[in-house]
Amino acid sequence: MLTIADRIKYFRKRRGFTQAQLAELTGIHPVSIRKYETNKMQPQSAQIEKIAEALRVSAGAISGSNSELIHLETVGDLMGLLMVWHKSGILTIQGERGADRRLDAATVRLVPNPIFEKYLTLSCENAKKEETIQLDSLKIALQDSAILNDLLRWESLYNGYGLMCAKYGDTSEEQVRASLDELREGLDLIEMELQGSIETLRT
């Protein structure tokens, strides 16, 4: 699994910054930036926020944590939220799979977990006061095809990694463990890439 050090280095290089430039942008001492990137020191929340702002990504993309407050300003923020919801079972990505095991974009719907029906209803803005839509019958379609394609690319790898872990996760064979680690790292990189998008969400 990628560390905070890996994430800082990945996004810094992606933005084309040197460690010195990142230090200047954040006001963090260059030695500290070097220590963060070599895993010799862990940045605190305040430093993660500064680094994330300088690299134009969410703090969650740097920390790898999903506990930060939800911000929905960029496509990266939205992708991070959708991935977290899918992983936690709040919202599942459903549809028909093709021969390549990838979901067919034309059939995909984001479906909230039916357990929410017991506790929540979703009001319609234009509905009469007594009318509500039950979450168990709600299907959300992603309107932006670029975001949908990126989400399905991630889901395909996430699903494949899950299947491989279920089948081979208990093995002690070194080669199999190395392959699983490689798959996990590829998944982490795609998650970082998608969360790193700074394109502003359209309202």
Side-chain angles (χ1 to χ4, degrees):
M1 184 167 284
L2 295 177
T3 63
I4 290 175
D6 297 326
R7 292 167 183 271
I8 292 171
K9 187 184 298 182
Y10 172 84
F11 285 117
R12 175 180 63 76
K13 288 184 174 182
R14 187 171 174 197
R15 299 287 181 246
F17 297 152
T18 63
Q19 288 180 341
Q21 288 171 320
L22 181 58
E24 188 176 327
L25 287 167
T26 58
I28 298 171
H29 198 280
V31 173
S32 295
I33 296 290
R34 272 195 299 281
K35 286 184 177 180
Y36 295 158
E37 288 197 5
T38 55
N39 225 6
K40 292 180 179 171
M41 187 167 76
Q42 288 294 308
Q44 299 300 310
S45 296
Q47 285 79 28
I48 288 174
E49 289 285 346
K50 288 178 184 177
I51 291 168
E53 186 177 342
L55 296 176
R56 297 174 302 188
V57 297
S58 70
I62 297 292
S63 69
S65 167
N66 304 315
S67 62
E68 288 81 14
L69 292 174
I70 295 170
H71 300 283
L72 277 180
E73 298 171 5
T74 67
V75 169
D77 293 336
L78 175 61
M79 292 302 298
L81 183 63
L82 291 173
M83 288 187 287
V84 167
W85 281 357
H86 181 68
K87 287 178 177 180
S88 63
I90 292 172
L91 195 73
T92 57
I93 305 168
Q94 298 180 4
E96 296 174 16
R97 292 194 187 272
D100 61 356
R101 301 295 303 146
R102 188 167 173 173
L103 290 170
D104 178 3
T107 68
V108 166
R109 294 292 179 268
L110 306 179
V111 183
N113 188 320
I115 201 167
F116 290 135
E117 179 194 11
K118 185 174 178 181
Y119 303 101
L120 300 171
T121 56
L122 181 68
S123 298
C124 294
E125 192 174 315
N126 297 324
K128 297 175 186 171
K129 283 189 177 179
E130 66 275 10
E131 291 179 336
T132 58
I133 296 176
Q134 301 299 317
L135 278 176
D136 71 331
S137 62
L138 179 65
K139 304 259 191 290
I140 305 167
L142 269 175
Q143 302 300 316
D144 188 306
S145 61
I147 292 175
L148 177 59
N149 286 333
D150 282 343
L151 184 64
L152 295 185
R153 181 167 57 106
W154 169 80
E155 191 279 340
S156 178
L157 287 170
Y158 180 74
N159 181 61
Y161 176 72
L163 291 172
M164 295 298 284
C165 284
K167 190 169 183 178
Y168 302 109
D170 293 336
T171 186
S172 58
E173 287 185 46
E174 230 175 273
Q175 191 173 359
V176 175
R177 299 297 318 161
S179 294
L180 286 173
D181 288 346
E182 192 176 315
L183 281 174
R184 177 73 239 186
E185 188 172 318
L187 186 59
D188 285 343
L189 287 171
I190 284 183
E191 289 182 2
M192 285 194 310
E193 175 193 325
L194 296 178
Q195 291 179 63
S197 172
I198 59 172
E199 181 185 345
T200 304
L201 287 169
R202 298 188 295 273
T203 53

